[in-house]
Amino acid sequence: MLESAVFLGLTLLIDCIQSLRAQMAWQWLFCRKKPGTCTKYGYTFEAGPQHLSKDDTADMKMEFDRLGEMALNRLNVLCPPQASTRQSFEASKNLAADGVQQSASPQPLKRDLYLLLRDHASQDEVLGQLWAESNAIPSWVCWEQIERGQDVFYRYGGPALTGLAFQSLLGGMGATRVVETLTRTGGFSTKVARHRLLETTQHILQCTRDLRSIQPGGAGHASSIRVRLLHAAVRQRIVKLAQEKPGYYDVQSLGYPINDLDCVATIGAFSATLIWLSLPRQGIWLRRKEIEDYIALFRYVAYLTGTPHEYFESPERTKVVMETLLRDEINPSATSRILASNVLNSLEGQPPTFASRSFLEANCRWLNGNELCDELGLGRPSLYHWMLMAGQVFFFMAICYTYRSIPILDRRKIAASRRIMWSVIVEDKQGLGQETVFDFKYIPNLSKTTKAEKGRCSLPDRGGIEQRNLRAFLLGCIGMLGITWIAMRCVMAWHGRTSGVMVSENPSPCPSSAGSSQTVAVSLILETVLGSTGPSINTLSAAVDARCFAFCAGSIVVLSDIHSLGQRFFYAKPDALPAHLTPSYYNPATPTKATGSRALANTPTKDDSLLSLATFDSNVDHPGKGKVSHRSRSVTSVALSPSGKYLAIGEVGYHPRILVFSTATSASPDIPVACLTEHTFGVQAIAFSSDSKWLCSVGDLHDGGLFLWSINPKTGALKLNSSNRCTTADTIAWMGATVITVGTRHVKVWRFEPPSSPAKCRRTLDTVTDLSNASPVPRTFAGRNVLLGELRDAVFTCAVAIAEDAAVLCTQDGAVCLLDDAHRSQRICQIAKRDHSITCATLDPSSRVVWLAGKGMEPEALPLDFFFAARAPSATSEQHKDLHLPGEQRKKQFSFSAICYADNRLVCADTSHGMSIYEVISCPGQAPEASAFHQLLAHNSAVIGVVVSSGRTVKDFDFLTYSAKGNILYWSWDGSCTGACSVPLDASLALEGDNSNELRVVRHLPTTNMLLTGDRTGIIRLLDTSGLVEVAVRGHDGEVYNLTVHVIDDDQSLSASCGRDRTVQIFRVSKNECSLEQSLINEHAGPIRQVEFTNGGSILVSMSSDRTLVIHQRVTRTDDSIAFVSTRTIHLKASPTSMTLIPDAPSSLLLSTLDRCFRTISLEGNTTQTFKESVILSRLTVGILHPGRTAVLAAFSSADGSIRLYDIESGSLLALFQGQTAVSDLGFVQVSGTSGMIKTRLVSTGASDGTIMLWDLTIPPQDATKHLGGNGFSNMDPSKPKPPSSMRLVRRVLSKAEIASFQRSLKEKSDDRNSLSRNLSPSRLRRKASRPAISGGSEVPESGACSKNHTSEMPGQDSVHGDRPKRASPPPSPRVSLQSRTRRSSLDDRDQHTATKYADNVDGTARQISNMLQDFRKMMARSQRSLSINSTQALKRQLQATMDAIVPQERQSDRTRDQMGGESFDDYLATMIDQRLALQSRKEDPSYLTSGSSNPYASAG
């Protein structure tokens, strides 16, 4: 119970704070405002293209419920308004007999329009149409959802009625147009305003009383129809008076009274305003499900009252409409102030609340804000009344949150609220007293207007709502203080138990507020895309009028200018909301149980209809059921409208989208104009009609859907017009008003009749139109197959229209055909033959030619006259089928898959993901030719990685990329390719059953300008930048996973490689040589994924999938031999996926693991920071941003295909992008800006889409268009070396003696080593000596080699110097020393354990103090503030005292070492074992037997 009370208290505290913040509009005070941010009367939102424009609202002002008005005219004829008939009285009794609730004393003299409509619906066509529409159940209605929406109203009954009265009604008085209608009815005078408010409340209660009440025949259903007819009567009366007296009401400026916009605003005031304004400002936030249910209820109410209900089809669109009305319609006038004052006067001191005028004004100001209330002329309440309002908020929050948390109490509260509200408002004599039938009693006339009136006489105060609120305020203050005290104690207790490891969560792409104060705001702005996606004719499109072309790049569509090559990028997130919602007919977003059967019943019955798609039900168990995957999908097709105004893209996969964007510079590139979801299993092709008014799409083989949409040229909204099935189409094209689909042995012509555009007429009240309901079922898209004849086995690849009834078709075997559709004949004939396959074609209207391209051929032109001659009546297919195209046949090394024409340029996409731009040269009397103008190179296979050029060499390139097929391209940052080469790959060593070999890793040696590569078969090659191989070594028995390079000097470097064979190979690399220094085997139990040099090359870290990191220390000898000795093994909780070094922190690593964490680990094995993520990070890399040298971590995840930027210190997620599918690598590039300052850029490569994306990490520029420059560079032809099929696997495993000598050299310098070194005990030495596998072919040092003086390199140095002072070899083994030392070290077991434990604690504390001092120095370097004098003096005293305590300990250690002969017992024992091993090796050598007593170790035997 205590925990529940604390939880409830914390919830109330948080909700109270959020309520105050919402009321004072503080939620946007600390947020970054965007250019579209709009604030109106305390409510702030982002205005975008999804909001209604002023043109849209202007059209809605002139539209109204014409069917309701025509029905009212017929009812007035049947029963005039002033008539009192016996029939209406009898109809009232009949309705009561049917169970419809009526007042206790029916009045036969009043006309009931609902009863008249019901009784005469079968006698009149218009009345029957209205009655049928009112009783029809729309397909989107779900009665369970409607019933839950009714419960929502009573669950929050008190705050809901408060919001409806003081915000929806009083705040709505700020709408100038609406009050002009209200004031002419006279229903808002002080005497009748309260009664009229109660009548409106009765309508709401009838609609929410129970489910039967809102269903056809219920009281709520009947009252909604009465309100619809009442609105028609008021509108008709005011318009009639305006015709009699023109100055009475201005229809042109104000619109028709009670028009569509007014009705939408009324329904929005009952639903949207309550959800997003009234309740949040009272501290109450509805759940998502409650919002959907409540809006569904009022959508049905809007349907019954004749209001356009499509604006309430989803919560998002409802909210957008509310924001539009708040922005454009609320503008109080003098009439607004009169009506607002009259409403408050009518409520002052009235039952059941008996509230004072000041408290009513406090309610208004709390819900509407001071700005709007000041414009309405309301008074300012005192602080006391503000306290009462706060108490009311506390009371509502406590009641609502408590009851809704307990289901049984929630049900009881809802039932009690229904009963109490109906009794107080409708049945009580201080309320309405009886039900109203919404008769037309407030009749407008020329002399009636609402004027300002004084308040009514208030009833005596009975201690009502104000005293209750005062008590609630006092209890709320006490509760908040208690909860605050408990929360502070809990936080302090938790903080006291927290360890030094920091774990942070990053659930959203927003920067974490808990991050460091040094966290920077970094924006990930896409600048350039290199390469395109997929060799398909549907991935390239151009707009002739707009002089631009578009192509697919992963999940992004690039729109590029044909001349400057500047790029714009269009991409929509999986959950992006379009500006205009297009409801899906075949794949509804929220299907009901009857969706499938209803769709099947309503589908056209013709044979070509889309029956299979109509029966699709998303409730079936499909992959991804219940939600849409948030991973970005690849784009498979793109289409530009001929005018260049719209861009359409189609996705791949299950439930794909067709996104339509506006290409206007002011339009957002990430918010589509429309989103179409009719396809089920992928979009194959899309195309716009020649007039840009129609859009056609066809699905892939598994989808089989063909859809036609009409486009609103004004707004860009799309509507499904026709549909059918087509499973064999590869591409589509428009031929006039018909659509052509072509594919394998398939050519089909689809026809539809475009609707005629009637002449626009002026809308008047007397205009009678046919209001028959248009069927929501799409029409059948009629199609007819073309008889192919001799071409029945052809594979048609492309189609291009050359006239309104003619098109050119090409086939895979080189046939050029003409489709003649004159008089709908659909005649096809072959008119030419080509020796090469033709894959694409396009029309050049300026030169009047058709350009053809394909495999092994450059673009070639064929005049249109050649095709028109074939259409002559005298021409036959036999006369043209053997003709060949004019001109020479020119071959090219790569093939074209798509071609388009724009402004005298040809853009060709080839199968290697690159593009070529040709300039069309026309000569008089000759056929035009295509001259190569610009070439955009790309990789012809998956891009594996990126390598950034180092600044230590002459920079011929900024970065290079390499693909799986061995192609390497060199790039500058502006996107131009500066060179290319190819790595020769041999597949003879591939695994059995797999004859392929792939390039896996490339590294650049900056000092020698060489490349080091590794492939799938384990071969490591050293080659120059032109591709000439210098050395090829088989370093691994399997795939090479990673290579790392450390520069020693200008001539040589160290390289380490790792692979699947669990081996690390150490190479010494020079310009023309790559020699193996050491092989590290059996260090890991699993494949080694990555190796890295750190600490100036003195440390080598290897990472394996067996959840271990092994730290190796580099040691050298006087002969320049290098070895890496294992010093530490770090065990992890999960397998690592990637690691990277941290700048300015050589003793730390950043590591990502399979448990969705990335952490900072020191080389001692201590985890200093751990950050939890929602996905597994596949690759990490660190870059430095300027200015400030702030380190930023870049990572990508293969799980969701995202690129992420993090702040290293705080772990905050700075940026996220999901547009590049299957990212393979990331790299930071340092480039010089225009001002000379160095800037950091990011390069990402795509494994599956073959694209390269260049990113800007600074503040987003104003113009994101990037101009590409530079000339193309053709592939070089490097000399290929001998295939490495006979290469032998190389290994160099050090012997035990060599390892021991290196370990002794490392120990001799242990006094000066850093914190990474550790004592090598004899037991450790014996265990490590037995682990490496000693090869039989290993070289053994010559006689006396081990007695030579050695010089070991200091840890952290990069080179070896031979002029170091040498130290003597260890002395011979003394006879008594071992026994004496054994006696000296014989301590009591307890004392030895205590001393060892104490020493370990001291050493551990010393290491912690050292790390803290290091962190303190970094903090002082970053901080802008200096220490105080007291802190500085205290720090100096403690440091000096620590030094005084360390010096005696150091002197004692020196004396002990001198007494033991200058070496410790461990050193002595290691030397002795080394001598024994060397002696045993010499005895096995035959040369040792002939050397006699020349062995210097003979005395030691």
Side-chain angles (χ1 to χ4, degrees):
M1 293 297 295
L2 180 60
E3 294 179 355
S4 301
V6 171
F7 174 76
L8 178 61
L10 290 175
T11 303
L12 295 177
L13 175 63
I14 295 173
D15 289 339
C16 178
I17 296 174
Q18 291 180 342
S19 173
L20 294 175
R21 186 179 65 174
Q23 196 273 337
M24 302 302 292
W26 285 355
Q27 68 270 32
W28 290 87
L29 183 61
F30 302 102
C31 296
R32 182 182 301 174
K33 292 188 177 181
K34 300 180 181 180
T37 302
C38 179
T39 301
K40 193 68 176 290
Y41 298 118
Y43 180 78
T44 304
F45 59 94
E46 297 291 340
Q50 68 273 16
H51 290 75
L52 299 179
S53 64
K54 293 187 177 180
D55 294 337
D56 297 333
T57 56
D59 294 340
M60 296 176 65
K61 295 175 187 176
M62 305 304 296
E63 294 292 339
F64 54 88
D65 180 20
R66 300 183 184 273
L67 178 60
E69 189 151 348
M70 288 190 298
L72 178 66
N73 293 333
R74 301 297 177 89
L75 294 176
N76 289 337
V77 174
L78 296 174
C79 181
Q82 303 299 330
S84 174
T85 62
R86 182 67 180 173
Q87 290 80 1
S88 62
F89 178 63
E90 295 295 335
S92 178
K93 293 192 297 181
N94 294 336
L95 184 61
D98 293 338
V100 180
Q101 298 178 1
Q102 294 292 317
S103 59
S105 56
Q107 299 179 7
L109 297 179
K110 292 184 178 180
R111 185 179 64 156
D112 193 332
L113 297 177
Y114 173 78
L115 301 179
L116 290 174
L117 174 65
R118 188 195 65 176
D119 295 340
H120 298 87
S122 59
Q123 304 173 6
D124 186 86
E125 181 181 359
V126 175
L127 297 180
Q129 183 179 350
L130 178 60
W131 181 256
E133 177 183 308
S134 303
N135 287 272
I137 307 301
S139 60
W140 43 264
V141 170
C142 176
W143 294 119
E144 292 83 358
Q145 188 179 31
I146 297 295
E147 188 174 14
R148 292 195 303 267
Q150 292 175 332
D151 293 341
V152 170
F153 177 79
Y154 292 101
R155 182 176 294 124
Y156 309 100
L161 290 178
T162 302
L164 291 175
F166 296 103
Q167 185 160 39
S168 299
L169 177 63
L170 275 166
M173 294 300 174
T176 304
R177 295 187 310 98
V178 176
V179 298
E180 292 299 327
T181 302
L182 298 178
T183 188
R184 283 163 175 77
T185 62
F188 278 90
S189 63
T190 303
K191 297 180 180 180
V192 299
R194 180 175 178 271
H195 190 272
R196 187 164 184 178
L197 178 60
L198 294 178
E199 288 181 338
T200 304
T201 308
Q202 176 196 316
H203 178 221
I204 298 176
L205 296 181
Q206 287 177 330
C207 292
T208 59
R209 193 170 186 181
D210 52 41
L211 183 59
R212 184 176 177 274
S213 177
I214 195 65
Q215 290 177 340
H221 186 272
S223 64
S224 298
I225 298 177
R226 291 189 182 100
V227 170
R228 180 175 184 176
L229 297 174
L230 177 63
H231 287 171
V234 174
R235 181 190 313 111
Q236 190 180 60
R237 177 64 178 174
I238 293 178
V239 172
K240 182 178 179 180
L241 294 177
Q243 294 174 352
E244 297 177 1
K245 185 179 179 181
Y248 177 74
Y249 185 88
D250 190 358
V251 176
Q252 297 298 327
S253 60
L254 300 178
Y256 283 101
I258 317 181
N259 49 55
D260 284 354
L261 185 62
D262 296 340
C263 295
V264 169
T266 302
I267 299 297
F270 291 155
S271 56
T273 304
L274 196 67
I275 294 173
W276 287 290
L277 286 178
S278 301
L279 293 181
R281 292 182 178 182
Q282 297 179 77
I284 298 173
W285 281 263
L286 271 63
R287 305 183 182 100
R288 172 71 183 184
K289 191 66 176 177
E290 293 176 329
I291 294 176
E292 294 176 352
D293 297 341
Y294 191 70
I295 290 178
L297 167 65
F298 275 94
R299 182 185 182 185
Y300 184 57
V301 174
Y303 172 79
L304 296 177
T305 57
T307 303
H309 60 86
E310 61 271 10
Y311 295 100
F312 305 95
E313 62 184 3
S314 66
E316 291 76 13
R317 191 171 187 185
T318 305
K319 187 177 181 181
V320 164
V321 172
M322 179 202 72
E323 293 170 348
T324 302
L325 296 174
L326 181 64
R327 179 192 62 186
D328 299 337
E329 294 296 318
I330 304 300
N331 187 19
S333 62
T335 306
S336 302
R337 290 189 287 272
I338 293 174
L339 297 187
S341 178
N342 288 349
V343 171
L344 289 182
N345 291 335
S346 66
L347 297 178
E348 180 183 357
Q350 297 299 315
T353 59
F354 302 99
S356 63
R357 171 70 180 237
S358 298
F359 180 70
L360 297 177
E361 292 173 343
N363 276 271
C364 295
R365 290 188 175 272
W366 187 280
L367 296 178
N368 298 284
N370 291 326
E371 182 182 359
L372 179 59
C373 292
D374 289 341
E375 296 182 8
L376 290 175
L378 302 183
R380 286 186 172 270
S382 62
L383 179 60
Y384 170 75
H385 292 92
W386 281 106
M387 294 167 55
L388 296 180
M389 189 61 199
Q392 177 174 292
V393 170
F394 289 151
F395 176 78
F396 285 155
M397 290 169 58
I399 293 296
C400 294
Y401 285 126
T402 302
Y403 277 85
R404 85 173 187 182
S405 302
I406 306 174
I408 187 172
L409 295 181
D410 184 51
R411 291 192 295 268
R412 292 179 180 179
K413 177 179 181 295
I414 292 174
S417 299
R418 279 194 172 99
R419 184 178 62 256
I420 294 173
M421 288 186 183
W422 182 264
S423 175
V424 172
I425 295 176
V426 180
E427 296 178 350
D428 192 88
K429 64 179 182 178
Q430 294 181 349
L432 289 174
Q434 61 180 2
E435 294 185 48
T436 181
V437 294
F438 301 98
D439 54 331
F440 192 24
K441 55 186 175 182
Y442 305 111
I443 303 176
N445 54 62
L446 296 177
S447 61
K448 180 185 293 186
T449 56
T450 303
K451 299 180 181 180
E453 300 177 0
K454 296 182 180 181
R456 303 172 62 189
C457 296
S458 59
L459 296 178
D461 188 2
R462 302 180 184 178
I465 192 173
E466 296 188 15
Q467 293 187 7
R468 183 207 66 183
N469 292 346
L470 180 60
R471 291 191 295 269
F473 176 76
L474 297 177
L475 292 176
C477 291
I478 297 174
M480 288 181 60
L481 292 177
I483 293 172
T484 304
W485 181 80
I486 295 175
M488 292 179 62
R489 293 298 300 270
C490 294
V491 170
M492 293 174 62
W494 174 82
H495 182 70
R497 295 194 303 265
T498 304
S499 60
V501 179
M502 179 178 60
V503 179
S504 64
E505 296 283 350
N506 289 321
S508 65
C510 300
S512 174
S513 60
S516 173
S517 58
Q518 299 295 330
T519 301
V520 295
V522 180
S523 298
L524 197 60
I525 304 299
L526 183 60
E527 286 195 346
T528 306
V529 172
L530 305 175
S532 60
T533 302
S536 172
I537 189 176
N538 303 314
T539 57
L540 181 67
S541 180
V544 179
D545 299 337
R547 300 185 302 176
C548 59
F549 65 95
F551 61 91
C552 304
S555 299
I556 301 174
V557 170
V558 182
L559 183 64
S560 180
D561 186 83
I562 195 66
H563 295 288
S564 64
L565 300 182
Q567 294 183 349
R568 295 177 58 197
F569 312 100
F570 293 86
Y571 163 75
K573 296 181 180 179
D575 55 351
L577 184 65
H580 301 283
L581 294 178
T582 305
S584 175
Y585 177 76
Y586 297 106
N587 297 323
T590 56
T592 60
K593 295 181 179 180
T595 300
S597 60
R598 183 179 297 112
L600 178 61
N602 292 336
T603 306
T605 57
K606 292 188 178 181
D607 295 337
D608 292 334
S609 61
L610 198 59
L611 292 177
S612 64
L613 288 183
T615 58
F616 174 76
D617 189 357
S618 61
N619 285 328
V620 183
D621 187 12
H622 292 289
K625 175 180 177 290
K627 63 179 181 179
V628 179
S629 175
H630 287 275
R631 178 167 182 160
S632 299
R633 304 188 182 188
S634 298
V635 177
T636 57
S637 55
V638 62
L640 263 173
S641 62
S643 61
K645 183 178 180 180
Y646 297 111
L647 172 67
I649 63 178
E651 294 180 339
V652 71
Y654 182 73
H655 273 319
R657 300 175 299 172
I658 297 179
L659 303 173
V660 181
F661 293 89
S662 173
T663 59
T665 55
S666 59
S668 175
D670 54 358
I671 300 179
V673 176
C675 178
L676 313 176
T677 58
E678 298 294 348
H679 289 280
T680 308
F681 295 105
V683 181
Q684 179 69 22
I686 48 181
F688 285 94
S689 62
S690 58
D691 56 359
S692 301
K693 294 182 179 180
W694 300 90
L695 176 67
C696 185
S697 67
V698 63
D700 60 8
L701 177 63
H702 303 285
D703 181 85
L706 179 69
F707 299 99
L708 180 67
W709 283 274
S710 61
I711 305 175
N712 188 333
K714 185 177 181 180
T715 62
L718 278 78
K719 181 180 179 181
L720 182 61
N721 180 274
S722 307
S723 63
N724 211 316
R725 285 191 60 82
C726 182
T727 59
T728 58
D730 294 332
T731 186
I732 56 178
W734 283 84
M735 183 178 63
T738 60
V739 176
I740 307 173
T741 59
V742 298
T744 302
R745 292 177 293 180
H746 167 80
V747 177
K748 196 169 186 177
V749 178
W750 307 84
R751 307 182 189 277
F752 75 103
E753 297 297 334
S756 58
S757 300
K760 295 184 179 180
C761 58
R762 185 175 180 179
R763 297 169 180 164
T764 61
L765 184 65
D766 299 332
T767 302
V768 179
T769 58
D770 184 12
L771 298 178
S772 60
N773 290 332
S775 175
V777 180
R779 293 179 291 181
T780 301
F781 201 174
R784 179 184 172 191
N785 289 314
V786 177
L787 299 179
L788 301 180
E790 296 180 356
L791 299 171
R792 57 183 175 274
D793 294 328
V795 178
F796 292 90
T797 57
C798 58
V800 56
I802 60 175
E804 293 291 330
D805 54 358
V808 176
L809 280 63
C810 301
T811 66
Q812 197 173 31
D813 57 357
V816 180
C817 308
L818 176 67
L819 176 62
D820 188 2
D821 194 37
H823 308 291
R824 298 192 174 186
S825 60
Q826 296 187 187
R827 182 174 61 92
I828 187 173
C829 62
Q830 177 181 331
I831 61 175
K833 189 70 171 62
R834 197 71 173 90
D835 296 335
H836 299 278
S837 174
I838 302 175
T839 58
C840 50
T842 187
L843 176 65
D844 181 358
S846 60
S847 302
R848 292 184 55 78
V849 296
V850 174
W851 290 95
L852 308 177
K855 296 182 179 179
M857 58 178 293
E858 286 185 332
E860 297 185 5
L862 192 62
L864 292 181
D865 297 338
F866 180 73
F867 297 100
F868 292 147
R871 299 186 65 186
S874 59
T876 63
S877 59
E878 296 293 335
Q879 297 175 346
H880 296 86
K881 68 176 182 179
D882 296 329
L883 294 180
H884 288 266
L885 296 181
E888 299 180 358
Q889 299 180 6
R890 295 175 292 177
K891 296 184 179 180
K892 200 171 182 63
Q893 60 182 350
F894 52 84
S895 303
F896 293 116
S897 59
I899 187 173
C900 61
Y901 172 84
D903 197 24
N904 207 35
R905 296 284 192 275
L906 285 177
V907 181
C908 302
D910 54 55
T911 56
S912 62
H913 302 280
M915 283 183 289
S916 300
I917 300 179
Y918 292 85
E919 182 178 6
V920 178
I921 301 177
S922 301
C923 299
Q926 298 181 2
E929 295 184 357
S931 176
F933 175 71
H934 195 84
Q935 186 176 356
L936 304 176
L937 293 182
H939 291 281
N940 58 355
S941 60
V943 185
I944 300 300
V946 57
V947 179
V948 178
S949 175
S950 175
R952 298 188 58 174
T953 183
V954 179
K955 293 183 63 174
D956 298 329
F957 59 93
D958 289 327
F959 63 94
L960 65 87
T961 56
Y962 54 94
S963 64
K965 292 185 178 180
N967 296 325
I968 300 177
L969 298 180
Y970 303 96
W971 305 91
S972 61
W973 176 251
D974 60 359
S976 59
C977 184
T978 61
C981 69
S982 179
V983 179
L985 300 176
D986 183 74
S988 60
L989 297 178
L991 298 177
E992 296 183 1
D994 188 3
N995 297 325
S996 62
N997 188 12
E998 295 180 351
L999 183 64
R1000 286 305 186 191
V1001 60
V1002 174
R1003 292 295 179 264
H1004 180 242
L1005 305 177
T1007 56
T1008 58
N1009 202 21
M1010 303 288 286
L1011 298 179
L1012 200 63
T1013 67
D1015 61 17
R1016 190 178 179 184
T1017 61
I1019 299 177
I1020 298 175
R1021 296 177 177 84
L1022 179 66
L1023 65 159
D1024 59 11
T1025 54
S1026 63
L1028 180 62
V1029 178
E1030 301 290 346
V1031 179
V1033 179
R1034 190 183 181 197
H1036 294 273
D1037 188 15
E1039 181 178 344
V1040 179
Y1041 283 152
N1042 187 252
L1043 284 170
T1044 184
V1045 176
H1046 170 68
V1047 178
I1048 298 179
D1049 52 32
D1050 293 340
D1051 297 329
Q1052 58 181 348
S1053 303
L1054 275 183
S1055 174
S1057 65
C1058 63
R1060 188 178 180 181
D1061 57 354
R1062 299 177 296 174
T1063 303
V1064 176
Q1065 299 279 58
I1066 311 296
F1067 296 93
R1068 188 189 295 268
V1069 183
S1070 60
K1071 188 172 182 62
N1072 300 316
E1073 184 180 359
C1074 181
S1075 60
L1076 180 63
E1077 291 288 325
Q1078 185 183 4
S1079 299
L1080 300 175
I1081 62 176
N1082 296 333
E1083 297 283 348
H1084 294 277
I1088 304 175
R1089 295 292 180 179
Q1090 192 174 351
V1091 288
E1092 291 291 344
F1093 285 110
T1094 183
N1095 227 14
S1098 62
I1099 301 295
L1100 177 66
V1101 184
S1102 59
M1103 182 192 76
S1104 173
S1105 57
D1106 62 355
R1107 299 185 297 178
T1108 59
L1109 298 177
V1110 177
I1111 312 299
H1112 304 84
Q1113 178 76 36
R1114 189 182 77 177
V1115 290
T1116 59
R1117 296 186 301 196
T1118 55
D1119 57 354
D1120 278 350
S1121 59
I1122 299 176
F1124 283 85
V1125 180
S1126 174
T1127 60
R1128 186 181 302 275
T1129 300
I1130 303 174
H1131 296 272
L1132 305 172
K1133 294 182 179 180
S1135 297
T1137 58
S1138 177
M1139 68 176 177
T1140 185
L1141 305 178
I1142 302 178
D1144 300 331
S1147 299
S1148 298
L1149 295 172
L1150 266 174
L1151 194 72
S1152 61
T1153 53
L1154 288 180
D1155 57 353
R1156 299 191 298 273
C1157 293
F1158 67 97
R1159 49 178 57 87
T1160 304
I1161 298 180
S1162 66
L1163 298 185
E1164 295 179 351
N1166 299 324
T1167 302
T1168 57
Q1169 285 182 325
T1170 300
F1171 302 101
K1172 186 72 175 178
E1173 252 297 352
S1174 58
V1175 293
I1176 299 174
L1177 301 181
S1178 305
R1179 176 65 189 274
L1180 305 178
T1181 183
V1182 176
I1184 301 295
L1185 298 184
H1186 291 270
R1189 299 185 61 82
T1190 303
V1192 174
L1193 173 65
F1196 71 85
S1197 172
S1198 300
D1200 60 351
S1202 60
I1203 300 175
R1204 300 163 179 259
L1205 289 183
Y1206 297 92
D1207 181 74
I1208 289 184
E1209 296 182 359
S1210 64
S1212 301
L1213 184 58
L1214 304 177
L1216 184 144
F1217 182 79
Q1218 293 179 297
Q1220 192 172 16
T1221 55
V1223 183
S1224 58
D1225 200 4
L1226 297 173
F1228 286 97
V1229 182
Q1230 301 286 340
V1231 296
S1232 300
T1234 56
S1235 60
M1237 184 175 62
I1238 302 298
K1239 296 183 179 180
T1240 302
R1241 300 293 187 266
L1242 182 67
V1243 182
S1244 63
T1245 57
S1248 61
D1249 54 23
T1251 60
I1252 305 168
M1253 296 187 180
L1254 312 182
W1255 305 83
D1256 182 16
L1257 301 182
T1258 57
I1259 301 176
Q1262 297 295 331
D1263 186 6
T1265 303
K1266 179 68 179 175
H1267 299 277
L1268 295 176
N1271 297 323
F1273 193 91
S1274 60
N1275 291 329
M1276 297 183 178
D1277 188 15
S1279 60
K1280 302 288 182 69
K1282 182 181 179 180
S1285 59
S1286 60
M1287 284 189 176
R1288 183 174 58 89
L1289 186 64
V1290 295
R1291 287 286 187 271
R1292 188 175 187 273
V1293 182
L1294 300 182
S1295 64
K1296 293 181 179 179
E1298 290 176 316
I1299 294 177
S1301 64
F1302 278 115
Q1303 288 177 333
R1304 186 176 64 254
S1305 301
L1306 176 64
K1307 190 63 179 177
E1308 290 174 355
K1309 298 299 182 179
S1310 61
D1311 294 339
D1312 298 330
R1313 71 181 185 270
N1314 54 23
S1315 60
L1316 297 176
S1317 302
R1318 62 182 177 89
N1319 266 333
L1320 300 175
S1321 61
S1323 60
R1324 172 68 67 172
L1325 178 62
R1326 287 195 299 272
R1327 184 176 68 85
K1328 295 302 290 184
S1330 63
R1331 289 182 64 184
I1334 303 178
S1335 175
S1338 301
E1339 298 182 358
V1340 181
E1342 296 180 359
S1343 176
C1346 293
S1347 64
K1348 294 182 180 180
N1349 298 328
H1350 301 283
T1351 303
S1352 67
E1353 182 185 0
M1354 295 290 291
Q1357 294 181 347
D1358 295 336
S1359 59
V1360 180
H1361 303 280
D1363 55 352
R1364 299 282 181 87
K1366 300 179 180 180
R1367 59 181 298 176
S1369 61
S1373 302
R1375 295 180 180 179
V1376 198
S1377 59
L1378 183 59
Q1379 298 177 358
S1380 62
R1381 295 182 187 187
T1382 304
R1383 288 193 299 268
R1384 291 175 58 186
S1385 61
S1386 60
L1387 300 175
D1388 182 72
D1389 294 338
R1390 183 184 307 173
D1391 297 339
Q1392 183 177 4
H1393 175 73
T1394 303
T1396 304
K1397 181 178 179 181
Y1398 177 75
D1400 292 341
N1401 291 338
V1402 172
D1403 292 340
T1405 304
R1407 286 193 296 268
Q1408 291 181 3
I1409 294 175
S1410 300
N1411 294 335
M1412 292 175 61
L1413 290 175
Q1414 183 180 2
D1415 296 339
F1416 179 73
R1417 290 195 302 272
K1418 292 181 180 180
M1419 186 184 302
M1420 290 295 298
R1422 293 192 302 264
S1423 178
Q1424 303 294 333
R1425 301 177 58 184
S1426 59
L1427 291 176
S1428 62
I1429 298 177
N1430 296 334
S1431 300
T1432 304
Q1433 293 178 353
L1435 185 60
K1436 286 182 178 180
R1437 286 195 301 269
Q1438 294 299 328
L1439 291 177
Q1440 185 62 39
T1442 304
M1443 291 298 298
D1444 295 341
I1446 292 176
V1447 171
Q1449 293 286 342
E1450 185 178 7
R1451 293 174 182 174
Q1452 181 66 24
S1453 299
D1454 294 339
R1455 287 196 298 269
T1456 303
R1457 184 169 58 252
D1458 294 340
Q1459 293 174 4
M1460 298 178 64
E1463 293 184 347
S1464 64
F1465 177 74
D1466 293 342
D1467 294 334
Y1468 169 75
L1469 187 59
T1471 304
M1472 184 183 67
I1473 294 175
D1474 178 53
Q1475 293 174 358
R1476 295 292 183 182
L1477 292 174
L1479 180 61
Q1480 184 67 22
S1481 300
R1482 294 308 174 194
K1483 288 182 179 180
E1484 297 176 0
D1485 191 356
S1487 61
Y1488 175 78
L1489 300 176
T1490 60
S1491 61
S1493 59
S1494 59
N1495 187 359
Y1497 299 112
S1499 60

